[in-house]
């Protein structure tokens, strides 16, 4: 089989397929990525993936190339290229999907099943099938098989998914895909077979729901902040109701990453194109609540410090979530940049993401050693809940800073322990008496 696009999704999927025993050719237009994968190196941080890559290389189950040419046409080709946000309108940029599809059309046979895994606006698959069939000169078998992996646990999620969703126009394609996933399906993983538009929608609907849940509890945090209530206790209390559940119900600085924010914006844009914008217009509020939480931290910092100009602030964490170096639409990075804009001297620390910053945002002071990063800071903000931050000793850490003031952007610190060590701790949506 073949996997086109070797980013977070494609690299993980290629290696998950190799783990199932399939022979995989991975294709990416980025030659640096291809060379590095052939050398056993993954260009991003994802636990367990590099070990899986080395195993697959040594078993000769994977190889990577920039060319779409294959010695024999693949039986199944997965399209895993990016679908980033285009511009301010929020719609998704489909140019990578169509470009990959058109190049693929010249490399596949009438028997090949092409499978879309990228997250796309509903209707993309039909357009892609038409375009590809025109270029190939025969009808392309196309199916849609959305991916629900979470960065940080990507390989495990791919191998042990909550469900497999297959959308297809013909039995031939769905049978091929079920064959690919046989070892996973044999373990009892639920299979949901649907039409193609439903398969495209499932992914954006799931992300819209998750984003709404996070913004719901963040909206409750806004109310808690003006009423003296405690959003963490509130979440605990409502989360015991099985219909609500306590997952994804911790208030803080909100969601980010390469999926949720751009997926809800693209969903709204597509629904508006289809004349059904009203149905999902609430997602604009979901997005606005999410962004307001970032601004709230900047406001709190200014209130606590009197003014931000020349104040020293340390941001703990830059990636959008722990166990990942992905900084796409990261709340922590966004807040660090807003504080910098407001005149603060911002130092950033992250266990893995600093290297990814490269020469972007030169005003942010990078510090790899946490104790050095903490020295002389007026304010510390916990932006990403890495385990090493959760495990910090507030007494020892307090000896390094100039001012024992911390904003817990993720509500993960033990308030009593930090206060006992002399810290003033500000927790979003919480009635914390310092
Ligand atoms: N990252 C996740 O956790 C995740 C989870 C589920 C679904 N998705 C979806 O998967 C898709 C990919 O996301 P990602 O995070 O892996 O993106 P990414 O930007 O990390 O990777 C995309 C890759 O596609 C390659 N590419 C672009 N055009 C190409 C072409 N014509 N031919 C071959 N390769 C090409 C790029 O060089 C890049 O390596 C998106 O639609 C995303 O929404 C992502």
């Amino acid at each position: 089989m073949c996997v086109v696009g070797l980013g977070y999704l494609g690299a993980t999927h290629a290696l998950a397929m190799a783990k199932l025993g399939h022979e995989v050719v991975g294709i990416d237009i980025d030659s640096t990525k291809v060379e590095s994968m052939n050398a056993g190196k993954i260009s991003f941080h994802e636990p367990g993936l590099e070990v899986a890559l080395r195993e697959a290389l040594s078993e000769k189950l994977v190889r990577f190339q920039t060319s779409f040419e294959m010695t024999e046409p693949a039986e199944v080709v997965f399209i895993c290229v990016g679908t980033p946000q285009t511009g301010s309108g929020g719609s998704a940029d489909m140019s990578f999907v169509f470009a990959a599809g058109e190049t693929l059309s010249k490399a596949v046979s009438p028997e090949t099943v092409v499978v879309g895994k990228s997250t796309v606006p509903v209707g993309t698959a039909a357009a892609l099938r038409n375009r590809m069939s025109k270029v190939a000169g025969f009808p392309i078998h196309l199916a849609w098989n959305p991916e629900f992996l979470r960065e940080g646990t990507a390989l495990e999620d791919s191998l042990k998914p909550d469900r497999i969703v297959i959308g297809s126009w013909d039995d031939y394609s769905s049978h091929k895909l079920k064959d690919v996933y046989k070892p996973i399906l044999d373990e009892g993983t639920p299979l949901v077979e649907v039409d193609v538009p439903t398969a495209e929608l499932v992914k954006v609907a799931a992300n819209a729901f998750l984003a709404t849940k996070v913004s719901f509890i963040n909206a409750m945090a806004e109310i808690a902040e003006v009423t003296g209530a405690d959003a963490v206790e509130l979440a605990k209390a409502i989360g015991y109701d099985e219909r609500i559940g306590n997952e994804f119900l911790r208030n803080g600085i909100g969601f980010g990453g390469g999926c949720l924010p751009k997926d809800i914006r693209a969903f709204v844009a597509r629904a508006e194109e289809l004349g059904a914008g009203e149905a999902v217009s609430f997602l604009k509020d979901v997005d606005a609540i999410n962004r307001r939480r970032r601004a709230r931290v900047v406001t709190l910092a200014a209130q606590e410090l009197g003014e931000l100009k020349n104040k020293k602030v340390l941001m703990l964490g830059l990636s959008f979530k722990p166990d990942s170096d992905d900084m796409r639409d990261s709340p922590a990075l966004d807040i660090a940049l807003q504080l910098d804009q407001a005149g603060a001297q911002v130092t950033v620390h992250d266990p893995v993401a600093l290297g990814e910053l490269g020469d972007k945002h030169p005003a942010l002071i990078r510090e790899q050693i946490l104790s050095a990063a903490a020295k002389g800071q007026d304010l510390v903000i916990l932006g990403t809940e890495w385990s090493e931050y959760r495990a910090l000793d507030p007494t020892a850490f307090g000896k390094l800073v100039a001012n024992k003031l911390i904003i817990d952007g993720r509500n993960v610190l033990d308030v009593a322990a930090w206060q006992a060590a002399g810290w003033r701790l500000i927790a979003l949506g919480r009635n914390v008496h310092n």
Side-chain angles (χ1 to χ4, degrees):
M1 69 175 58
C2 177
V3 174
V4 179
L6 297 171
Y8 290 89
L9 167 64
T12 308
H13 188 64
L15 295 168
M17 293 300 97
K19 280 245 179 225
L20 298 185
H22 300 302
E23 270 180 54
V24 185
V25 177
I27 299 175
D28 201 293
I29 46 174
D30 180 342
S31 58
T32 318
K33 213 169 251 184
V34 165
E35 275 166 32
S36 122
M37 286 192 75
N38 276 325
K41 284 231 152 285
I42 300 274
S43 56
F44 54 91
H45 178 85
E46 180 58 46
L49 212 54
E50 209 157 88
V51 174
L53 170 63
R54 294 199 183 138
E55 272 170 21
L57 282 169
S58 74
E59 288 165 25
K60 298 204 177 348
L61 284 172
V62 288
R63 64 172 197 278
F64 304 96
Q65 56 189 50
T66 50
S67 162
F68 280 64
E69 270 170 39
M70 284 163 254
T71 36
E72 49 182 319
E75 282 178 69
V76 179
V77 181
F78 289 97
I79 298 183
C80 299
V81 300
T83 51
Q85 191 179 325
T86 317
S88 54
S91 60
D93 179 356
M94 284 299 111
S95 62
F96 303 104
V97 170
F98 289 126
E102 281 177 25
T103 319
L104 258 179
S105 311
K106 298 163 200 150
V108 296
S109 80
E111 287 75 41
T112 306
V113 176
V114 178
V115 185
K117 277 195 96 57
S118 300
T119 305
V120 295
V122 58
T124 302
L128 181 65
R129 186 167 71 146
N130 284 344
R131 284 199 195 195
M132 289 185 71
S133 301
K134 222 176 252 169
V135 179
F138 51 79
I140 293 281
H141 288 291
L142 185 74
W144 219 263
N145 167 225
E147 176 59 54
F148 303 93
L149 67 83
R150 296 160 298 176
E151 287 173 25
T153 49
L155 191 57
E156 205 186 320
D157 289 347
S158 298
L159 292 167
K160 291 190 187 344
D162 292 337
R163 74 305 212 182
I164 288 176
V165 177
I166 296 178
S168 66
W169 279 287
D170 57 80
D171 289 346
Y172 173 79
S173 304
S174 57
H175 279 137
K176 271 268 180 211
L177 257 182
K178 282 186 261 181
D179 210 29
V180 166
Y181 289 122
K182 191 171 182 307
I184 297 177
L185 292 171
D186 283 351
E187 281 174 13
T189 304
L191 168 69
V192 187
E193 287 190 85
V194 291
D195 54 56
V196 174
T198 306
E200 292 171 306
L201 267 176
V202 165
K203 174 67 187 178
V204 281
N207 277 355
F209 190 88
L210 292 171
T212 304
K213 202 169 175 192
V214 174
S215 279
F216 175 82
I217 199 62
N218 278 333
M220 294 306 105
E222 286 189 26
I223 300 294
E225 281 161 9
V226 294
T227 53
D230 188 313
V232 171
E233 296 301 324
L234 180 140
K236 195 161 69 177
I238 64 172
Y240 279 120
D241 184 331
E242 280 178 6
R243 295 167 303 172
I244 296 174
N246 56 17
E247 292 279 324
F248 253 56
L249 206 62
R250 191 172 56 221
N251 85 279
I253 56 175
F255 58 81
C259 290
L260 253 53
K262 67 118 172 125
D263 287 351
I264 59 169
R265 290 170 202 151
F267 196 4
V268 171
R270 182 62 180 142
E272 284 173 353
E273 269 171 29
L274 295 167
E278 259 182 49
V280 288
S281 64
F282 71 93
L283 290 175
K284 291 183 190 171
D285 285 332
V286 166
D287 198 7
I289 292 166
N290 195 51
R291 280 181 283 120
R292 278 209 297 276
R293 289 283 82 189
R294 302 177 186 187
R296 168 81 180 148
V297 173
V298 179
T299 306
L300 282 170
Q303 272 170 12
E304 289 293 325
L305 294 172
E307 60 163 350
L308 288 169
K309 208 159 171 30
N310 297 325
K311 289 284 159 46
K312 291 184 171 174
V313 182
L314 169 63
M315 178 60 74
L316 292 181
L318 275 185
S319 55
F320 85 99
K321 68 187 289 194
D323 297 318
S324 172
D325 58 0
D326 194 346
M327 286 182 287
R328 290 177 287 183
D329 211 338
S330 159
L333 177 58
D334 189 2
I335 293 167
L337 293 172
Q338 288 188 39
L339 289 165
D340 168 59
Q341 280 287 311
Q345 282 178 36
V346 185
T347 300
V348 290
H349 178 273
D350 189 283
V352 301
L354 282 185
E356 283 299 299
L357 258 191
D359 50 15
K360 278 178 266 167
H361 315 304
L364 300 180
I365 304 158
R366 293 122 161 99
E367 187 49 77
Q368 276 185 329
I369 297 163
L370 187 51
S371 52
K375 273 218 175 88
Q377 298 291 344
D378 299 311
L379 165 69
V380 178
I381 301 174
L382 193 152
T384 313
E385 65 274 39
W386 283 95
S387 53
E388 68 176 274
Y389 302 148
R390 300 172 79 139
L392 273 174
D393 172 359
T395 305
F397 195 57
K399 290 188 180 132
L400 302 168
V401 294
N403 186 21
K404 285 196 260 184
L405 172 65
I406 186 162
I407 299 178
D408 181 359
R410 297 294 182 180
N411 274 315
V412 290
L413 298 179
D414 180 339
V415 177
W418 282 74
Q419 286 177 331
W423 285 79
R424 179 167 164 77
L425 186 145
I426 314 292
L428 293 181
R430 301 203 77 176
N431 181 10
V432 172
H433 298 285
N434 283 288

